[in-house]
Amino acid sequence: MSTLFTKIINREIPANIVYETEKVIAFKDINPVAPIHILVVPKKEIPTLNDIKDEDAEYIMEMYKAIRVITKDLKIAEDGYRVITNCNTNGGQEVYHLHFHILGGEKIGLMRIKK
Ligand code: AMP
């Protein structure tokens, strides 16, 4: 059973994709909490931050590269932005496929992603 985000990667579910490489995809969050809200997702089903293995290093590096490129393209790099990963129940994680939230386009308040 593939994750929601794997379905987006495989084009089984539509998404507004803003960036894609062999190892990473990024798309607009369906329920944005800031003017710019992008999800950066590895093309490997790593469920949570707790599950990252040494062998996943290239995926994680590619995710940070995606953040650098996307924030520059969207012209929010200089003003700044926030990157968040929720982990498990207390972190408020809903989709169990590792992802970074990029939030920007305005000054982001404290605990912006709290559910
Ligand atoms: P998290 O709570 O950290 O697991 O974040 C999951 C995020 O996925 C939430 O911010 C949702 O709004 C977002 N989301 C859920 N379904 C979709 C979808 N089909 N396309 C884009 N974003 C989605």
Side-chain angles (χ1 to χ4, degrees), residues 8 15-18 26-32 35 37-39 74:
I8 288 176
N16 197 330
I17 296 165
V18 298
F27 46 88
K28 293 185 181 174
D29 195 293
I30 204 168
N31 186 20
H37 187 169
I38 306 287
L39 302 177
L74 297 179

Side-chain angles (χ1 to χ4, degrees), residues 13-83:
I13 291 178
N16 197 330
I17 296 165
V18 298
Y19 178 91
E20 186 167 23
T21 66
E22 189 195 326
K23 288 195 162 54
V24 167
I25 194 166
F27 46 88
K28 293 185 181 174
D29 195 293
I30 204 168
N31 186 20
V33 297
I36 292 174
H37 187 169
I38 306 287
L39 302 177
V40 179
V41 179
K43 290 186 175 177
K44 177 177 178 182
E45 291 188 347
I46 302 167
T48 78
L49 261 181
N50 295 337
D51 303 302
I52 296 171
K53 307 239 174 358
D54 289 355
E55 71 215 38
D56 298 326
E58 267 189 67
Y59 286 91
I60 305 306
M61 192 60 217
E62 285 264 337
M63 290 171 79
Y64 279 106
K65 181 181 173 189
I67 291 169
R68 177 163 48 80
V69 173
I70 292 164
T71 56
K72 191 168 176 228
D73 283 355
L74 297 179
K75 304 193 188 327
I76 61 170
E78 290 305 316
D79 283 345
Y81 54 90
R82 183 170 297 158
V83 173

Side-chain angles (χ1 to χ4, degrees), residues 4-5 28-31 39 86 92 94-95 99 101 115:
L4 177 68
F5 292 164
K28 293 185 181 174
D29 195 293
I30 204 168
N31 186 20
L39 302 177
N86 298 318
E94 288 182 344
V95 178
H99 52 284
H101 296 255
K115 310 272 182 196

